[in-house]
Amino acid sequence: MANGKALNHELSKLFNEMWDRDVNRLMPGKDYTIDLQGKAGAAQQGDSAVQDSAARHLFHNVNEERLKNIKTFATFISLLDNYETSTSVAEVVTPEEIAENNCFIDAILATEVMKLAHEYLLKKKLAKPNLANFKDQLYDIWFQLYARKEGDRPDSCGFEHVFVGETRRGKQILGLHNWVQFYLQEKHKHIDYKGYVARKNKTRPDKDDQVLSIQFSWKGSVKPVGSTFIGVSPEFEFALYTVIFLLSEERVTRETVKIEEYELQIVVCRHGHHIGTAYPVLLSTSSENQ
């Protein structure tokens, strides 16, 4: 096991239940198709030019009607343009954006996936039983602004980092671990998919894999390895990362879990009382440069 951490059976069981109840998850080959193409070459964080092993987009097609008609996806997508992606530039949050954040949290709290997470956290005495209080807790963890670097003005939050992505000094891509954001950025030609990063025990991913390690460039920088769930609902990722965040006081928490066929290490870094970053690492991928 990576880092010598044994499989967490309790969390694996919970996350598989959440996976099975994720009725909003999009299905590969039915709701979307990916085009994996070539294996990514070696790259360092900050490279401006790397070998491109994929001439075409990663997402061949996505059923946008489903995205628009599923409330959690629709409210999630409305949040993606609310952020200034450069760190060190102060965020300005408008009342309209606060309302959008609240709409999104309300939508995910109505799902079975978030109910399972809430029940589990209640058993552990880590969440407030009252839904309004639990909502405040989620808001604070994910949407409360903070300064990524000491001395800066509040320029970041957990949601922005994990789901939207940020850049540092135009040289480094931070976060961006969400497939919907990736798809939309790719569609608008802001992201260039460079190829997949293979797992050691599997020469290449399949087009129906729902966790991938990929390489891409965005806003002039390259992300050598970024891993992401594909097709899952926003509530699934939100629930998964929130549970791991609340289970530990550590600055960096790594939990090894098996979800479906995927052996993963879920990494969650905290920034005080907030999420700094969170992402899945496919075990037996050769690099962990997130």
Side-chain angles (χ1 to χ4, degrees), residues 60-226:
H60 177 62
N61 69 293
V62 173
N63 180 346
E64 288 199 25
E65 277 311 296
R66 282 215 69 196
L67 294 182
K68 286 188 191 115
N69 293 324
I70 295 171
K71 193 162 186 198
T72 57
F73 276 114
T75 52
F76 173 78
I77 289 167
S78 73
L79 305 181
L80 295 175
D81 60 0
N82 288 355
Y83 294 95
E84 166 53 65
T85 55
S86 178
T87 59
S88 79
V89 177
E91 291 290 346
V92 178
V93 183
T94 65
E96 182 193 26
E97 288 170 0
I98 290 170
E100 287 179 346
N101 293 344
N102 280 307
C103 273
F104 170 67
I105 296 180
D106 287 339
I108 64 173
L109 281 174
T111 65
E112 287 297 313
V113 171
M114 277 309 283
K115 284 176 185 163
L116 278 170
H118 190 205
E119 280 163 24
Y120 177 82
L121 291 166
L122 281 179
K123 272 189 221 141
K124 299 276 180 194
K125 301 194 169 30
L126 293 169
K128 306 281 193 292
N130 176 310
L131 227 86
N133 294 346
F134 182 50
K135 181 182 167 181
D136 290 344
Q137 199 178 359
L138 291 175
Y139 199 103
D140 191 45
I141 291 169
W142 284 100
F143 291 103
Q144 198 56 51
L145 292 177
Y146 54 77
R148 215 154 252 287
K149 209 164 102 266
E150 235 172 284
D152 279 347
R153 289 163 301 182
D155 60 357
S156 183
C157 69
F159 181 87
E160 176 185 10
H161 184 94
V162 175
F163 293 102
V164 184
E166 301 177 288
T167 56
R168 182 180 281 150
R169 295 189 299 281
K171 289 194 174 68
Q172 202 180 0
I173 298 170
L174 309 174
L176 211 168
H177 295 288
N178 176 261
W179 74 272
V180 177
Q181 168 70 339
F182 190 98
Y183 161 68
L184 293 171
Q185 289 291 303
E186 192 176 56
K187 182 182 164 186
H188 297 307
K189 300 193 167 44
H190 298 320
I191 270 184
D192 183 11
Y193 169 62
K194 302 288 187 189
Y196 64 86
V197 179
R199 285 185 268 174
K200 282 201 190 86
N201 60 353
K202 191 173 183 180
T203 47
R204 62 172 286 141
D206 300 319
K207 59 185 187 305
D208 57 356
D209 274 356
Q210 293 204 276
V211 189
L212 286 181
S213 291
I214 53 178
Q215 189 181 98
F216 59 91
S217 63
W218 183 57
K219 299 187 183 243
S221 301
V222 169
K223 183 141 193 166
V225 183

